[in-house]
Amino acid sequence: MKSILLGAAVALVAGNSAMAAEYELKMSLMFPPTHFITTRAMEPWAKMIEEKTGGRVHFTIFSAGSALGDATKQFDQVRTGVVDVAVSIPAIPRGRHPRTTLMELPFTIKTSAAGTKALMELYDKYLKADYPGAVMLNMTITEPSAVHTRNPITDLDQLKGVRTRAPTPSVTAMLNAIGATPVGMPPTQIYESAERGVIDGNVMPWGPVGAFKIYEIFKNHLNARIDAVAMYTLMNENRYKSLPPDIRKVIDDSRPFLVDIWTKLWKETDDAAIETARKAGNKIVDLKDARREEWRAKMKPVVDQYIEEQSKTVPNSREIYDAMVTTLKKYE
């Protein structure tokens, strides 16, 4: 009975603390409550802000499956103030953040650590126009993707004729150039589509392969380090400006925490998924650096064509991409 009463008292104090917060902030995520992005990044970040503001700030998190967790609506929700903070990926919906997604072009990045630092460095000069009405708290990018297939392959040219799930328009163009048959679909549909034989391959970073258990269906993996997926943490600009200077400073000072946690998590979750696939008896082949460079050269016309297309709506697309490549070299 004493334990029950003590638990109730603790819950009451916690509830009163949340109710007593001066600033109630809503955060929406495109990820489920159990996803590592929720549990190991955004929940700890929110708790840190709450603690460092002495409880004056309190976050309520809306995850995937909730009314505010739709991946296609994250940016619009934060821009219009429906939520105060949003976490999502610039590639959804397609074409909304054309400057940022240039870094997702095939064979552009080698590591998440370099890509994350480069995105943050380039944001003010080149990428800010992608996010009107919002304050960027953090940008990051995954480790580059592998190819996961039903049948064994040791090189990308063996994807010819293979129905392969493509995550982005640029990867679709790359697969077309190789002679594969690209199929677009969200990550949540991959497992079932593979089971039904709709697709026989998938281009995806290792982390989601582990999270969605894709290794159970596609038991062959080529670590080709093709493309990566960018992600943002945004805050509504008006809401940010309405906060007192000391609270804004706490939020500003939290940026290094986000950069560090993402760099760590992308590598950790990739390594964990690779180890799980190995223990399941899957075959994993690493594409040699020299061969990757050959593929990068082969895909240059695809990249150039994509940038030329983007230049119709973002005239300095070539300048942005070249700045990305130059900045990445500083950190690789």
Side-chain angles (χ1 to χ4, degrees), residues 17-26 45-60 84-85 235 239 243-244 246-248 250-251:
S17 174
M19 290 175 62
E22 294 177 54
Y23 303 97
E24 292 285 345
L25 301 180
K26 292 180 288 187
W45 176 79
K47 184 178 180 181
M48 181 181 71
I49 299 297
E50 291 172 350
E51 290 177 350
K52 287 184 177 293
T53 59
R56 294 167 65 201
V57 170
H58 177 258
F59 282 94
T60 300
D84 302 298
V85 177
M235 188 167 190
R239 184 57 160 155
L243 297 173
D246 62 321
I247 291 181
R248 290 203 303 268
V250 170
I251 292 172

Side-chain angles (χ1 to χ4, degrees), residues 39-328:
T39 61
R40 296 184 62 190
M42 301 319 300
E43 287 180 347
W45 176 79
K47 184 178 180 181
M48 181 181 71
I49 299 297
E50 291 172 350
E51 290 177 350
K52 287 184 177 293
T53 59
R56 294 167 65 201
V57 170
H58 177 258
F59 282 94
T60 300
I61 298 177
F62 299 88
S63 303
S66 71
L68 300 177
D70 187 336
T72 65
K73 298 179 180 177
Q74 293 303 300
F75 176 68
D76 287 333
Q77 287 178 164
V78 75
R79 179 180 58 84
T80 57
V82 173
V83 299
D84 302 298
V85 177
V87 181
S88 191
I89 62 177
I92 300 177
R94 289 188 175 186
R96 178 61 65 86
H97 310 288
R99 297 161 183 83
T100 309
T101 52
L102 288 169
M103 193 175 277
E104 298 180 351
L105 286 170
F107 304 107
T108 297
I109 84 158
K110 293 181 179 178
T111 68
S112 170
T116 295
K117 290 174 183 175
L119 282 170
M120 291 300 289
E121 181 173 325
L122 295 166
Y123 178 75
D124 284 337
K125 183 174 181 180
Y126 289 114
L127 310 180
K128 192 173 182 178
D130 273 354
Y131 307 95
V135 173
M136 182 62 69
L137 302 182
N138 179 62
M139 301 197 82
T140 186
I141 195 163
T142 65
E143 294 290 337
S145 61
V147 183
H148 316 276
T149 55
R150 195 179 307 280
N151 298 317
I153 65 170
T154 57
D155 202 356
L156 290 173
D157 55 10
Q158 293 167 349
L159 286 175
K160 187 172 183 179
V162 177
R163 293 167 297 179
T164 308
R165 181 256 178 180
T168 64
S170 60
V171 173
T172 296
M174 182 198 80
L175 291 172
N176 278 325
I178 291 172
T181 303
V183 181
M185 67 179 63
T188 51
Q189 295 179 13
I190 295 172
Y191 194 104
E192 183 182 355
S193 296
E195 275 191 316
R196 291 165 45 212
V198 175
I199 55 173
D200 296 301
N202 171 36
V203 177
M204 178 181 267
W206 271 101
V209 167
F212 293 103
K213 300 185 183 299
I214 308 300
Y215 60 86
E216 294 180 349
I217 302 294
F218 293 145
K219 296 182 176 295
N220 298 279
H221 315 272
L222 177 63
N223 281 330
R225 293 164 291 157
I226 298 171
D227 69 314
V229 180
M231 193 173 77
Y232 59 68
T233 303
L234 291 171
M235 188 167 190
N236 176 271
E237 186 174 23
N238 290 334
R239 184 57 160 155
Y240 173 84
K241 290 179 177 178
S242 74
L243 297 173
D246 62 321
I247 291 181
R248 290 203 303 268
K249 185 177 188 306
V250 170
I251 292 172
D252 292 342
D253 290 347
S254 74
R255 287 184 170 95
F257 169 86
L258 289 172
V259 170
D260 290 344
I261 197 70
W262 285 123
T263 301
K264 179 181 178 182
L265 284 178
W266 294 136
K267 185 68 168 61
E268 280 186 1
T269 53
D270 269 29
D271 288 348
I274 290 169
E275 183 61 22
T276 299
R278 281 204 177 100
K279 286 181 178 178
N282 292 15
K283 183 178 180 181
I284 301 172
V285 176
D286 292 321
L287 191 69
K288 301 297 184 185
D289 289 344
R291 185 58 176 158
R292 182 182 183 274
E293 282 301 303
E294 290 176 7
W295 275 107
R296 187 183 65 78
K298 282 185 179 183
M299 291 299 111
K300 187 177 184 303
V302 172
V303 170
D304 289 343
Q305 177 61 36
Y306 183 90
I307 294 171
E308 185 179 336
E309 246 347 92
Q310 291 297 100
S311 296
K312 295 175 182 178
T313 53
V314 182
N316 65 334
S317 290
R318 171 56 68 180
E319 179 187 350
I320 295 172
Y321 183 74
D322 288 346
M324 286 177 171
V325 171
T326 300
T327 306
L328 283 165

